[in-house]
Amino acid sequence: MGNSASNGKRSLEMEFHNILSATLFFLIFLTCNAANSKLFREYVGAELDSIKLSDVPINSSVEFHFILAFAVDYTNDNHPSPTNGKFNIFWETNNLGPDQIASIKDSNSNVQIAVSLGGDSVGEDKAFFAPNSRASWVENAVSSLTDMINHYHIDGIDIDYEHFSTSPEIFAECIGQLIMSLKKSGTISFASIAPFEDIKSHYLALWKKYGHVIDYVNFQFYAYNKLSVPQFIRNFNDQASNYGGGQLLASFQSGGGGGLRPDNGFFEACNELKDQGKLGGIFIWCADESKANNFQYEKKSQALLAA
């Protein structure tokens, strides 16, 4: 009788131990995979007028964002000049118009479209963020972008200003208020930023005050000099700390650039980040350049995210 009770107690203790171990393992698994995402994003339209959305392979198992590059608040003429928030289209529209965008979205339920604002240059000149005042810039930007977003079936915006004639604080207020207004009206469902190390002061000021309305961080890791796998991961962790709580994507430039190249360890680094539960997605600059290599890295990136 005593042995039977003792055996039963040990059995219950063993069962409890097994349940506790399984629960802890499950919680650890969830924690390790909490930040991983199947988000793939690609800039398009900045360089080739022949690029088509339908050229790019789309894996149905990922969340796919095309990012139109660019819309800029400059005049679209022979002598571009700032327009104080009145945005014009600077992406190649031959094959990236409303009909083509509607078609790719109808054919692929996992595809969404963003428009990137700013970029490096307009024509031969640098594209500066140059508001006349916060209130007037925000009012003009909300109005012009709402019309553009509705006409082109766009779902979100990406902030990619790289030159500034105003302070980080004014940049933060203008962009933060723009995102909040477009989200509040239901015009957009997501927003991202595309910083790199040399311009971090403006983007960190934005993140500090308005990070709660920014969904993705497209950090331009290819703006670094050539990186090894450990260097890339160290830089990724540094930026994850800078943009704490943000969904940080790994990135490369398909036609060259610095950072960690896709044929030199990028996917190894991504797998390591994925194993650590840190990979918030992958983005590529850009489809225009990838066309020459038959989009091999787009296929590989999406397969990695989908696995």
Side-chain angles (χ1 to χ4, degrees):
M1 187 78 170
N3 285 341
S4 176
S6 178
N7 289 339
K9 183 179 180 182
R10 280 199 299 271
S11 176
L12 284 171
E13 287 175 346
M14 183 70 72
E15 185 177 351
F16 177 76
H17 176 77
N18 289 339
I19 292 171
L20 183 62
S21 296
T23 302
L24 286 172
F25 176 81
F26 181 66
L27 289 172
I28 291 169
F29 176 82
L30 284 179
T31 302
C32 288
N33 289 275
N36 285 334
S37 167
K38 294 183 178 182
L39 176 62
F40 177 79
R41 315 186 85 202
E42 179 141 46
Y43 290 85
V44 61
E47 299 174 10
L48 286 181
D49 61 4
S50 61
I51 190 74
K52 298 177 182 177
L53 299 177
S54 57
D55 290 338
V56 184
I58 297 170
N59 186 320
S60 61
S61 297
V62 304
E63 183 182 355
F64 195 111
H65 291 180
F66 282 111
I67 306 176
L68 302 169
F70 293 95
V72 194
D73 53 330
Y74 268 65
T75 58
N76 196 346
D77 54 30
N78 292 331
H79 303 284
S81 58
T83 57
N84 190 39
K86 296 177 181 178
F87 281 85
N88 289 304
I89 291 169
F90 282 81
W91 73 80
E92 298 289 352
T93 55
N94 283 1
N95 296 296
L96 302 174
D99 292 345
Q100 292 90 344
I101 290 172
S103 177
I104 202 76
K105 291 174 74 173
D106 287 345
S107 303
N108 300 272
S109 61
N110 59 323
V111 168
Q112 290 185 294
I113 307 292
V115 58
S116 189
L117 311 182
D120 176 61
S121 58
V122 283
E124 301 299 317
D125 300 319
K126 299 300 184 185
F128 279 83
F129 181 75
N132 292 345
S133 70
R134 183 195 62 79
S136 63
W137 188 92
V138 171
E139 182 180 357
N140 290 337
V142 168
S143 176
S144 61
L145 286 172
T146 297
D147 290 344
M148 184 186 299
I149 287 165
N150 290 335
H151 184 66
Y152 281 87
H153 315 293
I154 291 168
D155 304 288
I157 61 172
D158 174 64
I159 308 301
D160 190 21
Y161 281 100
E162 302 183 1
H163 309 282
F164 308 90
S165 32
T166 190
S167 69
E169 292 72 26
I170 292 176
F171 174 72
E173 283 302 320
C174 288
I175 299 300
Q177 290 296 320
L178 170 65
I179 294 171
M180 288 183 66
S181 180
L182 292 176
K183 282 194 167 186
K184 185 177 180 180
S185 67
T187 305
I188 62 170
S189 57
F190 60 83
S192 59
I193 56 174
F196 55 92
E197 189 66 21
D198 292 348
I199 55 173
K200 66 181 180 182
S201 61
H202 283 75
Y203 283 90
L204 288 176
L206 172 61
W207 183 261
K208 183 178 180 180
K209 188 164 185 181
Y210 291 100
H212 62 287
V213 295
I214 297 168
D215 302 278
Y216 315 114
V217 180
N218 281 13
F219 194 86
Q220 299 183 44
F221 289 101
Y222 46 86
Y224 285 113
N225 292 328
K226 185 178 179 181
L227 298 173
S228 65
V229 171
Q231 287 171 329
F232 183 91
I233 291 173
R234 185 164 57 249
N235 285 330
F236 188 97
N237 288 332
D238 287 345
Q239 299 309 328
S241 176
N242 285 338
Y243 299 94
Q247 184 171 332
L248 179 64
L249 285 76
S251 64
F252 65 87
Q253 181 176 346
S254 56
L260 185 58
R261 300 281 302 131
D263 54 357
N264 201 36
F266 175 81
F267 295 109
E268 178 187 340
C270 284
N271 276 317
E272 187 169 333
L273 290 168
K274 190 176 181 183
D275 289 344
Q276 296 172 7
K278 297 177 180 178
L279 186 61
I282 295 172
F283 85 84
I284 299 176
W285 177 274
C286 58
D288 311 49
E289 296 177 3
S290 294
K291 191 173 182 179
N293 63 34
N294 198 32
F295 304 101
Q296 60 174 311
Y297 298 130
E298 280 76 0
K299 296 171 188 173
K300 193 167 183 178
S301 296
Q302 292 176 76
L304 184 153
L305 293 170

